[in-house]
């Protein structure tokens, strides 16, 4: 099943990324946390726009074996905007914020080795 549509104006689930940068090194892991509208119940997770976990936890840990695009559907809210998790095996990476930016936002870049 694909990602469900949500009505215009609906509160969206909040998907946060730790660390909040992409790409990350192969040796690192990324924690994704989903917050719905405050009701505690299972969270639906989507991987590359397909249902991945029907009744998952509020946070998941991603390793280099699962790069891709993630979304979540927390209780009482619509599906979150997507976040793309990427990994690199390079010695040096130029990182950008993992969350989507809007036109006019300042773009902070980070170089890590």
């Amino acid at each position: 099943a694909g990602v469900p549509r949500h009505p215009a104006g609906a509160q969206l689930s909040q998907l946060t990324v730790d660390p909040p940068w992409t790409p990350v090194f192969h040796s690192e892991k990324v924690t994704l946390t989903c917050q719905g509208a405050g009701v505690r119940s299972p969270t639906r997770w989507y991987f590359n726009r397909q249902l991945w976990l029907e009744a998952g936890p509020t946070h998941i840990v991603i390793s280099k074996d699962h790069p891709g695009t993630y979304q979540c559907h927390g209780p009482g809210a619509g599906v979150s905007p997507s976040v793309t998790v990427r990994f690199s095996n390079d010695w040096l990476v130029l990182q950008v914020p993992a969350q989507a930016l809007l036109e006019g936002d300042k773009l902070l870049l980070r170089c890590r080795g």
Side-chain angles (χ1 to χ4, degrees), residues 1-104:
V3 177
R5 295 182 181 260
H6 50 79
Q11 178 183 346
L12 301 181
S13 300
Q14 298 297 312
L15 179 56
T16 57
V17 184
D18 183 30
W21 301 94
T22 189
V24 295
F25 291 110
H26 273 190
S27 60
E28 297 178 297
K29 294 187 181 198
V30 175
T31 300
L32 302 179
T33 303
C34 187
Q35 182 178 345
V39 180
R40 289 194 150 266
S41 68
T43 299
R44 287 189 182 128
W45 288 95
Y46 297 89
F47 176 64
N48 293 334
R49 308 232 181 263
Q50 296 297 314
L51 183 62
W52 184 44
L53 294 172
E54 174 72 33
T58 58
H59 73 277
I60 57 175
V61 178
I62 307 300
S63 69
K64 67 178 181 179
D65 300 325
H66 291 95
T69 301
Y70 291 84
Q71 289 175 278
C72 71
H73 189 186
V79 177
S80 72
S82 62
V83 168
T84 299
V85 177
R86 294 180 307 146
F87 294 85
S88 174
N89 62 356
D90 290 329
W91 289 92
L92 188 66
V93 293
L94 181 62
Q95 294 179 314
V96 297
Q99 300 290 1
L101 297 173
L102 299 174
E103 184 176 341

